[in-house]
Amino acid sequence: MGLWRGSACAGFLALAVGCVFLLEPELPGSALRSLWSSLRLGPAPPGPLSPEGRLAAAWDALIVQPARRWRRVAVGVNACVDVVISGVKLLQALGLSPGSGRDHAVLHSRSDLEEAFVYFMGKGAAAERFFSDKETFHDIAQTASEFPGAQVLLCGPIGPKLHELLDDNVFVPPESLQEVDEFHLILEYLAGEEWGPFKAPHANRFIFSHDLSNGAMNMLEVFVSSLEEFQPDLVVLSGLHMMEGQSKELQRKRLLEVVTSISDIPTGIPIHLELASMTNRELMSSIVHQQVFPAVTSLGLNEQELLFLSQSASGPHASLSSWDGVPDVGMVSDILFWILKEHGRSKTRSSDLTRIHFHTLVYHILATVDGHWANQLAAVAAGARVAGTQACATETIDASRVSLRAPQEFMTSHSESGSRIVLNPNKPVVEWHREGITFHFTPVLVCKDPIRTVGLGDAISAEGLFYSEAHPD
């Protein structure tokens, strides 16, 4: 999980950390900028007059602080130590060769790992899988941790290594401490990197783990019980995807307990749920229908998670097996609208869900139920901007290192007669409305030669939340 600057960064870093901490109201000095693409204008020289430069400058003018800022943020419950390494080099060190790419819902062996890695590498898509064989996983993890160039990042259950890595501003309930760490292996690959017949169209990462503590969400009750004393302004949750490593019976039982625990969070505190890669449609359907969605205020997710959610819960465009390149904006908008209309707050439904932050490589969309959120124009711009700086590991957007790849024109819906939008780098945030729901769209400035792929989604959601203002009920 990637780090963002200052104690505000430490806060959302804990999206993967899963502990309670104080988020100082200091605004990060400068954040990443977002990417734009396919502007049919031909390549422009980098600089302030290029589309990238004009877009970055327009963002800077649009991103303003909310009137009311979060003072204290509680984050849980998925905590681990991430070991980040070149995927191809690790698999070569394990004596594996590239075969035929194939997805596996659960990894049972080294060959399953190799097949799943090259499958997603060939698509340039992010994915996360559970590794069922404990001994084999630990052997692989040992090789990875000793590999030259391997990095350990802080990303719940807090073991000794993770506790050592935590910032002093991060408060850890004593009940969260345990004798051993949970390790997740992050296999990165570069854009254009080749292994056998496979070539990555984008830089990305493949995550796998044998994580039973987070899979059982062991620290959820400890986390919730700590909130009364901590008194947060905002609660951020993640880790439901880790339950895929549990049996179906344990999944059903634990999910009911999760809903009960979330219901114990004091009324009036917004709750953001960060989703992650999943393969179990029954579990995803249960998360959608068994009161998890209505119990949270905000969601963060990417294009794979959005389509899988729609497929699992019979939503719009569920017959689509996968996105063909850049996710169609109109289709994404239809699914976001469906989630908020079917599972969000309304006059006839007591759901708390009023906000979704969708992010994909080349654009972001913030969808909100009218009357519940403010400063979302700045929030979506800030989330997109941080994607560019985080990936390029720069303090500000460097126009020479990013490119605009978002569609120049798109329809706002395919389920109804939507509007046709033509993008303008000088006015990078586009707004439209549909039956009481407001959409804010902005392109992302894609880093041409990314330094980081880990934690981008969490940094994006964190920055978007940082600039968001929730109206009190």
mmCIF file of all heavy atoms in Angstrom, residues 302-321:
data_model
loop_
_atom_site.group_PDB
_atom_site.id
_atom_site.type_symbol
_atom_site.label_atom_id
_atom_site.label_comp_id
_atom_site.label_asym_id
_atom_site.label_seq_id
_atom_site.Cartn_x
_atom_site.Cartn_y
_atom_site.Cartn_z
ATOM 1 N N ASN A 302 -12.639 0.054 -8.437
ATOM 2 C CA ASN A 302 -12.116 0.249 -9.785
ATOM 3 C C ASN A 302 -12.998 -0.456 -10.809
ATOM 4 O O ASN A 302 -14.071 -0.970 -10.484
ATOM 5 C CB ASN A 302 -10.653 -0.211 -9.874
ATOM 6 C CG ASN A 302 -10.487 -1.714 -9.703
ATOM 7 O OD1 ASN A 302 -11.434 -2.502 -9.837
ATOM 8 N ND2 ASN A 302 -9.270 -2.140 -9.420
ATOM 9 N N GLU A 303 -12.530 -0.513 -12.069
ATOM 10 C CA GLU A 303 -13.371 -1.007 -13.153
ATOM 11 C C GLU A 303 -13.650 -2.511 -13.042
ATOM 12 O O GLU A 303 -14.757 -2.961 -13.353
ATOM 13 C CB GLU A 303 -12.746 -0.684 -14.516
ATOM 14 C CG GLU A 303 -11.535 -1.487 -14.930
ATOM 15 C CD GLU A 303 -10.241 -1.003 -14.309
ATOM 16 O OE1 GLU A 303 -10.293 -0.095 -13.437
ATOM 17 O OE2 GLU A 303 -9.186 -1.520 -14.678
ATOM 18 N N GLN A 304 -12.669 -3.291 -12.589
ATOM 19 C CA GLN A 304 -12.900 -4.723 -12.441
ATOM 20 C C GLN A 304 -13.916 -4.998 -11.335
ATOM 21 O O GLN A 304 -14.800 -5.842 -11.484
ATOM 22 C CB GLN A 304 -11.579 -5.438 -12.141
ATOM 23 C CG GLN A 304 -10.624 -5.472 -13.316
ATOM 24 C CD GLN A 304 -9.310 -6.125 -12.941
ATOM 25 O OE1 GLN A 304 -8.565 -5.626 -12.106
ATOM 26 N NE2 GLN A 304 -9.025 -7.249 -13.552
ATOM 27 N N GLU A 305 -13.757 -4.306 -10.232
ATOM 28 C CA GLU A 305 -14.668 -4.487 -9.099
ATOM 29 C C GLU A 305 -16.082 -4.029 -9.439
ATOM 30 O O GLU A 305 -17.062 -4.645 -9.034
ATOM 31 C CB GLU A 305 -14.113 -3.728 -7.890
ATOM 32 C CG GLU A 305 -12.788 -4.287 -7.411
ATOM 33 C CD GLU A 305 -11.799 -3.268 -6.875
ATOM 34 O OE1 GLU A 305 -12.221 -2.124 -6.606
ATOM 35 O OE2 GLU A 305 -10.609 -3.606 -6.737
ATOM 36 N N LEU A 306 -16.190 -2.939 -10.220
ATOM 37 C CA LEU A 306 -17.508 -2.439 -10.594
ATOM 38 C C LEU A 306 -18.236 -3.430 -11.486
ATOM 39 O O LEU A 306 -19.414 -3.737 -11.257
ATOM 40 C CB LEU A 306 -17.370 -1.097 -11.316
ATOM 41 C CG LEU A 306 -18.693 -0.436 -11.695
ATOM 42 C CD1 LEU A 306 -19.359 0.188 -10.470
ATOM 43 C CD2 LEU A 306 -18.493 0.616 -12.781
ATOM 44 N N LEU A 307 -17.565 -3.950 -12.511
ATOM 45 C CA LEU A 307 -18.217 -4.892 -13.416
ATOM 46 C C LEU A 307 -18.549 -6.194 -12.689
ATOM 47 O O LEU A 307 -19.635 -6.757 -12.878
ATOM 48 C CB LEU A 307 -17.322 -5.178 -14.625
ATOM 49 C CG LEU A 307 -17.910 -6.109 -15.683
ATOM 50 C CD1 LEU A 307 -19.240 -5.568 -16.218
ATOM 51 C CD2 LEU A 307 -16.925 -6.326 -16.831
ATOM 52 N N PHE A 308 -17.640 -6.685 -11.835
ATOM 53 C CA PHE A 308 -17.899 -7.905 -11.084
ATOM 54 C C PHE A 308 -19.088 -7.731 -10.147
ATOM 55 O O PHE A 308 -19.907 -8.641 -9.983
ATOM 56 C CB PHE A 308 -16.656 -8.310 -10.289
ATOM 57 C CG PHE A 308 -16.801 -9.616 -9.568
ATOM 58 C CD1 PHE A 308 -16.824 -10.813 -10.270
ATOM 59 C CD2 PHE A 308 -16.923 -9.658 -8.186
ATOM 60 C CE1 PHE A 308 -16.965 -12.025 -9.610
ATOM 61 C CE2 PHE A 308 -17.065 -10.860 -7.518
ATOM 62 C CZ PHE A 308 -17.088 -12.050 -8.228
ATOM 63 N N LEU A 309 -19.200 -6.553 -9.548
ATOM 64 C CA LEU A 309 -20.342 -6.254 -8.684
ATOM 65 C C LEU A 309 -21.641 -6.340 -9.478
ATOM 66 O O LEU A 309 -22.619 -6.951 -9.031
ATOM 67 C CB LEU A 309 -20.161 -4.862 -8.079
ATOM 68 C CG LEU A 309 -21.110 -4.359 -7.001
ATOM 69 C CD1 LEU A 309 -20.460 -3.175 -6.259
ATOM 70 C CD2 LEU A 309 -22.454 -3.914 -7.546
ATOM 71 N N SER A 310 -21.664 -5.740 -10.672
ATOM 72 C CA SER A 310 -22.871 -5.760 -11.497
ATOM 73 C C SER A 310 -23.199 -7.171 -11.949
ATOM 74 O O SER A 310 -24.371 -7.582 -11.958
ATOM 75 C CB SER A 310 -22.688 -4.835 -12.708
ATOM 76 O OG SER A 310 -23.902 -4.659 -13.407
ATOM 77 N N GLN A 311 -22.185 -7.946 -12.317
ATOM 78 C CA GLN A 311 -22.411 -9.334 -12.722
ATOM 79 C C GLN A 311 -22.957 -10.164 -11.565
ATOM 80 O O GLN A 311 -23.832 -11.013 -11.749
ATOM 81 C CB GLN A 311 -21.097 -9.945 -13.212
ATOM 82 C CG GLN A 311 -20.571 -9.355 -14.503
ATOM 83 C CD GLN A 311 -19.135 -9.774 -14.789
ATOM 84 O OE1 GLN A 311 -18.402 -10.202 -13.889
ATOM 85 N NE2 GLN A 311 -18.712 -9.659 -16.036
ATOM 86 N N SER A 312 -22.470 -9.936 -10.357
ATOM 87 C CA SER A 312 -22.864 -10.723 -9.190
ATOM 88 C C SER A 312 -24.268 -10.393 -8.719
ATOM 89 O O SER A 312 -24.954 -11.242 -8.135
ATOM 90 C CB SER A 312 -21.881 -10.488 -8.035
ATOM 91 O OG SER A 312 -20.565 -10.825 -8.411
ATOM 92 N N ALA A 313 -24.697 -9.147 -8.945
ATOM 93 C CA ALA A 313 -25.990 -8.698 -8.431
ATOM 94 C C ALA A 313 -26.980 -8.388 -9.543
ATOM 95 O O ALA A 313 -27.975 -7.688 -9.314
ATOM 96 C CB ALA A 313 -25.800 -7.466 -7.542
ATOM 97 N N SER A 314 -26.723 -8.900 -10.764
ATOM 98 C CA SER A 314 -27.638 -8.740 -11.907
ATOM 99 C C SER A 314 -27.928 -7.280 -12.210
ATOM 100 O O SER A 314 -29.080 -6.876 -12.382
ATOM 101 C CB SER A 314 -28.947 -9.501 -11.636
ATOM 102 O OG SER A 314 -28.694 -10.873 -11.406
ATOM 103 N N GLY A 315 -26.862 -6.493 -12.294
ATOM 104 C CA GLY A 315 -27.005 -5.082 -12.610
ATOM 105 C C GLY A 315 -26.877 -4.797 -14.091
ATOM 106 O O GLY A 315 -26.844 -5.721 -14.922
ATOM 107 N N PRO A 316 -26.790 -3.522 -14.475
ATOM 108 C CA PRO A 316 -26.668 -3.152 -15.892
ATOM 109 C C PRO A 316 -25.382 -3.694 -16.512
ATOM 110 O O PRO A 316 -24.349 -3.799 -15.847
ATOM 111 C CB PRO A 316 -26.643 -1.620 -15.848
ATOM 112 C CG PRO A 316 -27.214 -1.251 -14.524
ATOM 113 C CD PRO A 316 -26.857 -2.356 -13.593
ATOM 114 N N HIS A 317 -25.467 -4.067 -17.772
ATOM 115 C CA HIS A 317 -24.320 -4.525 -18.566
ATOM 116 C C HIS A 317 -23.640 -5.742 -17.939
ATOM 117 O O HIS A 317 -22.444 -5.962 -18.143
ATOM 118 C CB HIS A 317 -23.322 -3.382 -18.752
ATOM 119 C CG HIS A 317 -23.958 -2.088 -19.196
ATOM 120 N ND1 HIS A 317 -24.612 -1.968 -20.411
ATOM 121 C CD2 HIS A 317 -24.081 -0.874 -18.580
ATOM 122 C CE1 HIS A 317 -25.085 -0.726 -20.523
ATOM 123 N NE2 HIS A 317 -24.787 -0.055 -19.440
ATOM 124 N N ALA A 318 -24.410 -6.539 -17.179
ATOM 125 C CA ALA A 318 -23.849 -7.713 -16.506
ATOM 126 C C ALA A 318 -23.441 -8.795 -17.500
ATOM 127 O O ALA A 318 -22.647 -9.684 -17.159
ATOM 128 C CB ALA A 318 -24.861 -8.272 -15.506
ATOM 129 N N SER A 319 -23.970 -8.758 -18.717
ATOM 130 C CA SER A 319 -23.609 -9.760 -19.724
ATOM 131 C C SER A 319 -22.219 -9.518 -20.303
ATOM 132 O O SER A 319 -21.659 -10.389 -20.965
ATOM 133 C CB SER A 319 -24.642 -9.755 -20.862
ATOM 134 O OG SER A 319 -24.681 -8.486 -21.497
ATOM 135 N N LEU A 320 -21.659 -8.356 -20.047
ATOM 136 C CA LEU A 320 -20.311 -8.042 -20.519
ATOM 137 C C LEU A 320 -19.308 -8.882 -19.731
ATOM 138 O O LEU A 320 -19.263 -8.822 -18.504
ATOM 139 C CB LEU A 320 -20.038 -6.546 -20.320
ATOM 140 C CG LEU A 320 -18.769 -5.957 -20.929
ATOM 141 C CD1 LEU A 320 -18.854 -5.995 -22.453
ATOM 142 C CD2 LEU A 320 -18.580 -4.525 -20.447
ATOM 143 N N SER A 321 -18.505 -9.689 -20.428
ATOM 144 C CA SER A 321 -17.572 -10.568 -19.719
ATOM 145 C C SER A 321 -16.393 -9.797 -19.146
ATOM 146 O O SER A 321 -15.887 -10.125 -18.061
ATOM 147 C CB SER A 321 -17.066 -11.666 -20.663
ATOM 148 O OG SER A 321 -16.388 -11.098 -21.776
#
